[in-house]
Amino acid sequence: MKNNFTKEDIKNSVEYQWRKNSIAWLLGIWAVIAVVMLFATLAGSLGDIKYIGLSLRIWLIVMAIYSTALLPFAVFYFYKMIYLLKHYTEFNSYEVVLDRVSTSYAYKGAVYYTVTFNDSGASIQVSTNPYFSSGIFARFTLEDYNNERVVGLYDSQMDKFYIIRKVD
């Protein structure tokens, strides 16, 4: 069925908020490590002031290498957020029950669901992203969504089901 979601609905969706939260964590970790490394570098060169310039150059090189390893993940999540905002009107909306859980080892044990719905007489089985976890830093807990009815969008190009919200 055609969806009637607004951009605000998408920005408040589980999918969008999960991506946004992941970006915040990645950038936060990047910033903390950058500051700690800067202070450690400067503290090491305080004994002889003439080495501060060299220490800063070394810090910049290390940060450049570190940034090329970490920041592409943040860029990828940002791209996925923009992709959803640009294309959500092209996706059909479905109401499903989250009852078939699987563990994602790529996302540190977070879980995803396999959902099944009918589209024009065909039964489609597809996975969600691994939004759910039981950790203390989890934005979406498994306990809050397990066996709950949700509404989401099916992206046939990516073969993904994006959870928008729980059904009241």
Side-chain angles (χ1 to χ4, degrees):
M1 76 183 95
K2 199 68 179 154
N3 79 66
N4 55 0
F5 294 116
T6 64
K7 280 196 184 233
E8 278 307 307
D9 292 332
I10 300 303
K11 287 181 179 179
N12 292 322
S13 70
V14 173
E15 171 74 22
Y16 193 89
Q17 292 300 314
W18 176 66
R19 299 274 185 199
K20 188 175 175 182
N21 192 44
S22 297
I23 290 172
W25 272 103
L26 286 170
L27 293 179
I29 290 168
W30 180 86
V32 166
I33 290 175
V35 169
V36 168
M37 286 177 54
L38 177 63
F39 283 126
T41 302
L42 290 177
S45 64
L46 286 179
D48 196 351
I49 221 74
K50 65 182 176 184
Y51 293 115
I52 286 182
L54 178 63
S55 295
L56 286 176
R57 279 186 248 139
I58 291 171
W59 176 78
L60 284 172
I61 291 168
V62 170
M63 284 308 300
I65 293 168
Y66 173 64
S67 295
T68 58
L70 186 64
L71 294 182
F73 293 104
V75 171
F76 174 75
Y77 284 140
F78 183 73
Y79 163 75
K80 291 301 232 174
M81 289 169 58
I82 299 302
Y83 173 82
L84 182 61
L85 272 178
K86 280 182 118 177
H87 298 284
Y88 78 93
T89 56
E90 302 165 14
F91 307 146
N92 288 331
S93 173
Y94 298 95
E95 198 170 294
V96 298
V97 175
L98 299 177
D99 57 357
R100 293 183 46 210
V101 66
S102 299
T103 302
S104 170
Y105 297 105
Y107 284 89
K108 296 178 270 172
V111 298
Y112 63 94
Y113 286 91
T114 302
V115 297
T116 305
F117 54 89
N118 289 322
D119 183 35
S120 303
S123 180
I124 297 177
Q125 191 173 23
V126 67
S127 297
T128 67
N129 283 312
Y131 314 116
F132 310 103
S133 180
S134 295
I136 57 174
F137 297 113
R139 172 118 168 120
F140 304 104
T141 62
L142 181 61
E143 294 79 18
D144 290 343
Y145 283 85
N146 196 36
N147 293 318
E148 293 289 331
R149 186 168 279 291
V150 297
V151 64
L153 300 173
Y154 174 59
D155 181 358
S156 59
Q157 295 283 61
M158 299 290 184
D159 197 35
K160 280 289 182 190
F161 188 81
Y162 306 123
I163 296 175
I164 303 302
R165 61 178 158 72
K166 284 200 281 191
V167 175
D168 300 325

